[in-house]
Amino acid sequence: MRRWLPSTSARLALVVMGLFLIVFVMIGGGVYFAASTLLLDDARGLVRADANDLVTIHRSGGMAALRAELDERITGGNGDPNAVYGLVDGDGNALIGRLPDAGRPGAHGRWVEFREQATEGTNNLRVIAVERALPDGGILLVGQELASQDRLLAMMQRSAILALLAALVAGALVGWLTTRWVARRLRGLDATVGRVAEGELGLRATLDHSGDAFDQVARRFNMMLDRIEDLLGGVRHTTDYIAHDLRTPLSRLRNRLEGLHHDATNEHTRAGLGRALAETDQLLHAFCALLRLARIESQALDMHAPDVALRPLADDAVEMYAPIASERGIHLEASLQDVHLRGDRDQLFQLLVNLLDNALKYAPADSSVEVTLLTSGAEVLLEIADHGPGIPEGERERVFDRFQRLEAHRGSPGVGLGLSLVRAIVHHHGGRVSLLDNAPGLRVRVMLPSR
């Protein structure tokens, strides 16, 4: 609940529901106030007209005629059953009913409101009345019971409560539908962003051509992707041209160094040419690896990539490096299970080769390198561990940086520029790679999604 409320979708739903309820309460309150005011004005009109008639009877026939008229209305059954009357003579004696103790009314009368009990066992009824002063000093009270009006208002209140509950449910539904609609519009853009981040630079957000804010965001997002793709394409082409232009003279330089090394008779010169030849080979390997790394990072994994059995590739890699390990007295221990995943066979083999090359390069003589391949849940676990110097925890992330390879730590130039190509291949296949302490040594753990 704490995570749900602060979310943008939750706040949007609450705002929509709150506005819906506020509008409903304002409309309902206005209708209730207008209805109660109208009913009260109608009751006042009836009381005022009845009081005027009775005052006219008093003026023409006196107190006796007025009292007779009131007795006839009260006991004869000819009057309004909801009418309330009271009469006090000039000496203050109550002739009919009683009056509220509020003093003598003014010349224009006085409106009063009180409650009286109609019959025993019933609730008190609200009465609105007018008190009129008579010429002979008496006071006439003419009122109207508001029982029917109160019943109508009470029914409106109950209906309003039920309608408020219905509005609450409707507001919540409208808020939920609104957030779903907004989320649906954003989900497509989010999916596009995710796939572009995975390397599908040619993908674009879908436009509905409505011209609304979402459509404008998608349009600008596509413009940004077009610009990024153009810039990356230019950088990629430039890199390819530079790499190819440099690889040709480097190859010629290597051939000349190889010829000079072959023809050299002086051992010192021959050793120096051998070192130069090795550095040239390493430089050529670096150029090839940079090109390969750029291609992998610029492409997304094909959704229809073939199924690859990883164990035969691991067997081949272990067999390929077994003679090198044997020369240094390093024992290769392989624990391999049959696992399958979708991916690029050549890249996965390059991944295994780079990890083994890195482990054997730093493993001390008379030690072991462990290769583990198994299925862990819905993922494939690949681990290659050695007992070399390892990498301090604070420097492990720097190993993956392609611009840190020439420093004196693990990840220096080797077959495929150290571990940077490993991470590129792992990310290309939707996996993750982590460097762990092997106490002593380094354990490289690769998690790849199984098929």
Side-chain angles (χ1 to χ4, degrees):
M1 187 68 176
R2 292 180 180 178
R3 293 182 179 180
W4 184 82
L5 284 178
S7 66
T8 303
S9 299
R11 290 196 294 268
L12 178 60
L14 290 177
V15 168
V16 172
M17 184 174 65
L19 292 176
F20 196 85
L21 292 179
I22 289 173
V23 172
F24 176 83
V25 170
M26 292 178 62
I27 295 176
V31 171
Y32 180 84
F33 177 77
S36 60
T37 302
L38 181 61
L39 292 174
L40 188 60
D41 289 343
D42 289 343
R44 285 175 179 267
L46 290 175
V47 170
R48 189 181 296 110
D50 197 11
N52 291 335
D53 291 341
L54 293 175
V55 169
T56 301
I57 292 175
H58 179 272
R59 287 174 181 173
S60 61
M63 182 64 74
L66 177 58
R67 182 173 182 180
E69 176 65 22
L70 292 177
D71 287 338
E72 176 65 22
R73 292 187 179 187
I74 295 173
T75 61
N78 296 327
D80 185 357
N82 294 324
V84 176
Y85 299 104
L87 182 61
V88 176
D89 61 14
D91 297 330
N93 299 318
L95 303 178
I96 298 175
R98 65 180 181 84
L99 274 65
D101 187 12
R104 186 174 180 81
H108 300 288
R110 177 178 58 208
W111 287 97
V112 295
E113 185 174 332
F114 57 93
R115 290 183 175 274
E116 70 171 8
Q117 187 170 347
T119 58
E120 190 171 342
T122 61
N123 295 328
N124 291 337
L125 299 177
R126 190 162 61 99
V127 176
I128 186 170
V130 63
E131 292 180 338
R132 300 285 293 272
L134 300 176
D136 58 2
I139 299 177
L140 172 65
L141 180 142
V142 180
Q144 186 76 21
E145 295 178 354
L146 301 178
S148 58
Q149 291 88 337
D150 288 345
R151 285 194 298 271
L152 178 59
L153 292 177
M155 184 180 68
M156 290 182 63
Q157 290 177 353
R158 291 192 297 271
S159 300
I161 292 175
L162 294 177
L164 182 63
L165 294 176
L168 182 64
V169 175
L173 180 61
V174 170
W176 179 74
L177 291 176
T178 302
T179 56
R180 286 292 300 272
W181 177 77
V182 173
R184 182 177 59 83
R185 294 295 302 271
L186 294 177
R187 196 177 297 117
L189 186 60
D190 179 69
T192 303
V193 171
R195 293 176 63 182
V196 170
E198 293 176 357
E200 296 185 55
L201 297 180
L203 195 63
R204 295 295 180 266
T206 303
L207 303 177
D208 60 4
H209 304 288
S210 62
D212 60 4
F214 294 102
D215 199 54
Q216 291 294 329
V217 170
R219 191 182 304 276
R220 292 187 178 274
F221 178 74
N222 289 344
M223 293 172 60
M224 178 188 68
L225 289 180
D226 290 338
R227 180 59 176 164
I228 291 175
E229 189 176 20
D230 290 341
L231 292 175
L232 289 179
V235 171
R236 191 179 303 116
H237 290 317
T238 302
T239 304
D240 289 342
Y241 292 150
I242 292 175
H244 285 93
D245 289 345
L246 288 179
R247 189 162 52 182
T248 300
L250 283 174
S251 298
R252 293 174 182 170
L253 176 61
R254 186 192 181 285
N255 293 333
R256 291 175 183 175
L257 287 175
E258 187 175 11
L260 291 174
H261 179 267
H262 183 268
D263 296 335
T265 57
N266 185 287
E267 288 297 328
H268 180 71
T269 303
R270 188 179 182 86
L273 290 172
R275 289 193 296 271
L277 188 61
E279 291 178 0
T280 305
D281 288 336
Q282 187 177 16
L283 193 56
L284 284 170
H285 282 308
F287 270 105
C288 293
L290 280 173
L291 290 174
R292 189 160 53 249
L293 183 61
R295 283 195 297 269
I296 292 174
E297 290 180 341
S298 65
Q299 296 175 356
L301 184 65
D302 186 4
M303 298 297 293
H304 304 288
D307 181 81
V308 178
L310 198 55
R311 179 172 180 175
L313 296 181
D315 287 332
D316 291 342
V318 171
E319 183 180 355
M320 183 173 69
Y321 276 90
I324 300 176
S326 179
E327 288 179 1
R328 297 186 54 193
I330 299 174
H331 179 58
L332 279 178
E333 299 179 358
S335 176
L336 309 176
Q337 294 182 1
D338 291 325
V339 296
H340 293 78
L341 69 157
R342 294 191 179 279
D344 187 293
R345 183 183 181 87
D346 294 335
Q347 291 183 15
L348 292 173
F349 185 73
Q350 183 71 59
L351 166 70
L352 293 163
V353 166
N354 276 38
L355 290 177
L356 280 172
D357 180 81
N358 186 79
L360 292 174
K361 185 183 300 181
Y362 295 97
D366 300 324
S367 65
S368 64
V369 171
E370 296 88 21
V371 182
T372 305
L373 179 63
L374 53 87
T375 301
S376 176
E379 293 181 307
V380 172
L381 169 64
L382 171 64
E383 281 189 352
I384 296 183
D386 61 68
H387 299 281
I391 302 175
E393 185 175 358
E395 297 184 11
R396 290 174 185 171
E397 277 301 316
R398 297 176 60 201
V399 174
F400 293 115
D401 188 351
R402 71 184 67 178
F403 298 108
Q404 300 288 340
R405 273 180 205 85
L406 297 180
E407 297 183 4
H409 58 63
R410 299 183 61 148
S412 59
V415 178
L417 274 75
L419 295 176
S420 294
L421 189 58
V422 169
R423 186 171 68 168
I425 294 174
V426 171
H427 287 179
H428 182 69
H429 287 77
R432 59 190 185 277
V433 58
S434 55
L435 304 181
L436 307 174
D437 189 10
N438 198 38
L442 180 69
R443 180 181 299 272
V444 182
R445 176 175 294 173
V446 175
M447 303 297 293
L448 297 170
S450 60
R451 61 179 179 180

